Structure formats: C-alpha cells, structure tokens
Amino acid sequence: MNDYAHIPEETLALYALQALDPTESAVVRAHVTGCADCRAELASAQGDLALLAMSVEQQPLPEGARERFLRRVEADRPSAGLSIVPPRPRKRAAAWGGWLAAAAMLLLSIGLGIRMRSLRWRLNETSLQLAEETVESRQAHQVLDLLTAPMAQHVLLTAGKTPPAPSARAVYLASRGALVMEASNLKPLPADKTYELWVIPSNGAAPIPAGLFQPDANGSASVVMPQIPSGVVAKAFGVTEEKEGGSSTPTAPILLAGAAPAVGE
C-alpha cells in the first residue's frame, strides 16, 4: 500500500468494532502498518469509541442486538468486498456520526463489564478476608506450638529478689488438745538456737509451750500433736526464737503470730 490509496472510513470503523472477518481484518492490519494516514484515522476511531463507551449509560445488551447490528452492517457493505480508495478530504466528525451511533448498541454491552468488575471486587474482598483468617489461624498455631514445645523455657517473674516472708499455718482442736502446725520460708538458726510454738489461752493464763522445731534446708518445719492439756481454748498462737532446749515463757520478739477464730468460724 502507498500514500495514494486508503482503507474506507466505514471499513476502519468495522475493524475498530472487530466486526470484520479474519481475512478482511488481516488486510486492514497489513495496510495500516504501512499507511500513516489510515493508522491515524483508525486511532481516532478507536479513541472516539472509547469516549462513547464512557458516555453511554451502562445497561445490559438486549438479547440478539449484536447479531442484528452485524446483519445491518453486512447489508450495507459493498458486495465487492474490502476496497482501497483514493485519498480525499476527510470530514471525520460527520463521517463517523452514523457509525458511532450504530456502535453505541454494541457499547451497551459494557454493562457486562460493570458486572465483571463488581464480581472481581467481591472476589478481592473475599480473598482479603481469607488472607486475614489465614494469618489469625497461623498465629494461633504458632502460640499452640510454643505452649506445647518440649524445649520451651517456662519462666516465673517475681517482684525483685526479696525473699518470701516466713509464715505458718496451725490447726487446733481445743477439746482434745490436738495441734498441727506447718511453717515455711523460715531462716536457718545457729546450732544453739531453736524455734518454739506457743498457745495463748483465751482466759488470760500464761502462754503454753507447744513444741520446738528447726527448719530444713528449704525453710520448712512442722509441729505435730505436741503435749497440750485438753480443753484449753486458744486466743492466739505465736512463734519465738529461743535458746536450745526451749523456754518456759516466750522471749520477745514474737516472730510469727496469728489470732485464733472463734469455734465454727
């Protein structure tokens, strides 16, 4: 092809609409490759079609509309097939008007594109939701793996390095004179010292010695069933530090003390 012959504008319009058969489309492609005028005209047609597509209200294409449009084009086309015509002054705005009006019917099918975009948006939204759930599931599995891992280190955090305070718990039955005491976190004593447990009677009588004891390496100690007269109602209990062998009266200060609740409380 050369600069003295061109593809008719109507044929370029059909090519832009993809309404030519494969043989005719191949001829047009070959021509516009070497013809700058027809290539520019085709680009303008495609641009006009794109603008028209954006200006047409998006509605579904009526059933059979595309087939009716193609039959109309076929009826209007010259029977001699694709032709090359001499150049002539181009009045593009007027020449394209009829074809673009007909093309509007095809561009109504853009409504289908709207639906496709909506479906893609919903698919993307679902994919994002699935991704978030996958992340949460993966994190839950990681937490479970950590908590059940045999080699995981379990660490107890405490406030500073202050040693736990000594404490003791006593169980007393006055009617039998039965007493059990368990102590913990006691500091060790010199060999000539010992701890002594006391029962403080509620009638104001002198404290009654209730047993000597030494803590073990862990600071634990116990007094089990010492010799205490039956029937002594206790007001309180106390622990003191005494000389080896104990004492008949408590030596101040009292290291541990606890009031006895009323019976039944």
Side-chain angles (χ1 to χ4, degrees), residues 248-260:
S248 59
T249 58
T251 301
I254 297 178
L255 305 176
L256 298 176

Side-chain angles (χ1 to χ4, degrees), residues 92-196:
R92 189 167 61 84
W96 289 110
W99 289 106
L100 293 179
M105 296 183 63
L106 287 180
L107 295 175
L108 293 177
S109 63
I110 294 175
L112 179 61
I114 298 285
R115 294 185 59 190
M116 293 298 295
R117 285 196 295 273
S118 176
L119 290 175
R120 282 197 296 270
W121 180 84
R122 291 173 60 186
L123 180 60
N124 291 338
E125 185 180 36
T126 302
S127 299
L128 179 60
Q129 189 174 22
L130 288 175
E132 293 175 350
E133 292 176 356
T134 299
V135 170
E136 293 177 358
S137 177
R138 185 182 303 117
Q139 187 176 30
H141 280 292
Q142 290 174 346
V143 171
L144 180 61
D145 289 342
L146 170 62
L147 296 178
T148 58
M151 299 300 292
Q153 294 175 290
H154 295 253
V155 183
L156 175 65
L157 284 72
T158 59
K161 296 183 178 180
T162 304
S167 63
R169 188 179 189 87
V171 180
Y172 178 60
L173 183 58
S175 62
R176 299 182 185 177
L179 174 64
V180 173
M181 188 276 300
E182 292 286 338
S184 59
N185 303 319
L186 296 173
K187 68 176 183 179
L189 294 176
D192 61 342
K193 296 288 186 177
T194 186
Y195 287 108
E196 188 163 7

Side-chain angles (χ1 to χ4, degrees), residues 59 102 118 140 168 203:
Q59 298 291 338
S118 176
N203 60 7

Side-chain angles (χ1 to χ4, degrees), residues 19-53:
L20 297 178
D21 62 38
T23 300
E24 293 171 333
S25 295
V27 173
V28 173
R29 275 196 304 273
H31 178 79
V32 298
T33 299
C35 179
D37 288 343
C38 286
R39 188 163 59 249
E41 197 68 32
L42 176 61
S44 296
Q46 291 171 330
D48 288 340
L49 289 173
L51 290 174
L52 182 59

